Amino acid sequence: MRHLHLAQENWPIRGSFTISRGAKREAQVVVASIAEGAHTGRGECVPYGRYGESIASVLAQMDALQSPIAAGMTRAQLQDACPAGAARNALDCALWDLEAKQRGVPVWKLAGLIAAPGPCVTAYTLSLDTPEAMAAAAANAAQFPVLKLKLGAADVIECVRAVHQAAPQAKLIIDANEAWDLALLQEVSPRLKALNAVLIEQPLPAGADDALAGYEWPVPLCADESCHEIAGLAQLRGRYGLINIKLDKTGGLTGALALAQAARTQGFGIMVGCMVSTSLAMAPALLLAGLADFVDLDGPLLLQQDRAGGLRSAPGGILYPPDPALWG
């Protein structure tokens, strides 16, 4: 019989992490551990208030599945028993990890991927701040060839110009986290292209995507808050060129792999992204890196300390997968 153990953990962030919706100084995560015999599989998730989640609600969702999991619930059954979101992510990844350990076969082979996850280049995120502070942060992160800038609706060009001057070789991903309106997007997008911006992520609020139809944007647009599952892709055609796949949105690796395949089939580019979390959450997401146009898996790099055996970073923004004993 299986046993499900749930735990909340807090991981301090170096400094703070600030976006248009607010700031935080620690990553609050939930870890699901599913033990069966001599083996234990683990998964980590980050409950997100933007999607109506909290630590308490996610723990309650998972705790309600104690009996089915003890009875041997499969990943396929989990997809029907729990909606996409953080709770299903932790459980789904724990079940993948458990099966890999029991069978002695890495998750990438179980998932039918053609190769193990290898080194990849990640974007590095700069928090929303003054132009001067963002320039200083960019100078300190000059080893990263791709920088992701968290911005609000104020001082957009000033912040991006300051970062570009501090790190002129870096490609820039602009992430507004729903803080802009159409007029601002139309005003700044041509100017952002000249400042080495290669992607604008979720400029308008989710639900306002119809306003994007019919435009040829100088910088490609990527849907984040507007895209969670396969069913939502049809509404994004002609509005976004790429989607940001995060396991906490898709409800785990199972949903993420399916969404990636559907997105490619329907002509979307892919970014694989993350919440601020540890390498336990990054390990399954790294399996998508080989399918992605952009990789943004810097969550553990923003923490004061990561888990033992976590992913390693090297100059050039290169990430190396964590120790297989950690996950997968």
Side-chain angles (χ1 to χ4, degrees):
M1 179 177 289
R2 293 175 176 172
H3 174 70
L4 171 63
H5 175 75
L6 305 174
Q8 176 191 349
E9 298 176 354
N10 297 334
W11 293 80
I13 294 170
R14 287 188 287 108
S16 65
F17 184 76
T18 304
I19 67 172
S20 60
R21 280 191 287 272
K24 61 181 181 180
R25 293 187 174 277
E26 62 182 8
Q28 297 183 317
V29 310
V30 174
V31 176
S33 301
I34 301 177
E36 185 173 28
H39 302 286
T40 298
R42 296 190 300 163
E44 176 181 314
C45 69
V46 181
Y48 196 22
R50 169 65 182 81
Y51 304 136
E53 297 174 335
S54 66
I55 294 289
S57 72
V58 165
L59 285 170
Q61 271 187 291
M62 290 192 279
D63 192 57
L65 295 173
Q66 288 274 6
S67 293
I69 289 172
M73 173 181 274
T74 66
R75 288 192 304 276
Q77 292 168 336
L78 176 64
Q79 310 308 301
D80 295 327
C82 189
R88 194 172 83 190
N89 175 26
L91 294 174
D92 182 75
C93 291
L95 287 171
W96 277 106
D97 188 33
L98 178 63
E99 182 177 352
K101 289 180 168 63
Q102 289 175 325
R103 295 177 58 180
V105 177
V107 168
W108 68 269
K109 286 188 177 181
L110 296 177
L113 299 177
I114 61 174
C120 63
V121 175
T122 184
Y124 184 78
T125 303
L126 306 183
S127 285
L128 172 64
D129 211 320
T130 64
E132 296 77 13
M134 294 188 75
N140 289 333
Q143 72 271 27
F144 289 91
V146 183
L147 296 176
K148 180 171 177 176
L149 282 57
K150 294 290 189 178
L151 297 177
D155 300 326
V156 172
I157 297 300
E158 292 81 359
C159 288
V160 178
R161 182 183 294 118
V163 168
H164 178 57
Q165 290 174 346
Q169 304 305 315
K171 296 178 180 179
L172 305 181
I173 297 172
I174 310 302
D175 188 1
N177 286 113
E178 306 180 278
W180 296 0
D181 58 22
L182 183 63
L184 180 57
L185 175 61
Q186 291 172 320
E187 175 191 346
V188 302
S189 55
R191 301 166 70 185
L192 292 174
K193 181 177 178 65
L195 294 171
N196 220 20
V198 295
L199 198 65
I200 298 175
E201 189 177 346
Q202 198 66 46
L204 308 187
D209 299 320
D210 287 349
L212 301 173
Y215 288 90
E216 291 292 333
W217 298 104
V219 180
L221 304 185
C222 178
D224 182 2
E225 286 86 348
S226 290
C227 181
H228 293 246
E229 297 183 274
I230 294 173
L233 287 176
Q235 305 302 316
L236 304 180
R237 289 199 201 100
R239 293 155 175 79
Y240 293 95
L242 298 90
I243 63 167
N244 188 346
I245 299 179
K246 295 176 180 175
L247 273 62
D248 276 314
K249 293 189 301 177
T250 65
L253 179 61
T254 301
L257 290 169
L259 178 57
Q261 181 178 11
R264 284 299 189 200
T265 299
Q266 297 185 35
F268 289 96
I270 294 171
M271 172 193 283
V272 55
C274 67
M275 307 296 284
V276 183
S277 45
T278 79
S279 287
L280 180 57
M282 293 311 108
L286 275 167
L287 271 66
L288 296 169
L291 309 174
D293 302 283
F294 294 93
V295 175
D296 177 28
L297 297 178
D298 64 342
L301 305 183
L302 305 175
L303 301 176
Q304 289 184 14
Q305 183 178 349
D306 190 16
R307 297 184 190 277
L311 59 79
R312 296 176 292 113
S313 63
I318 297 175
L319 287 183
Y320 290 87
D323 189 322
L326 180 70
W327 187 90

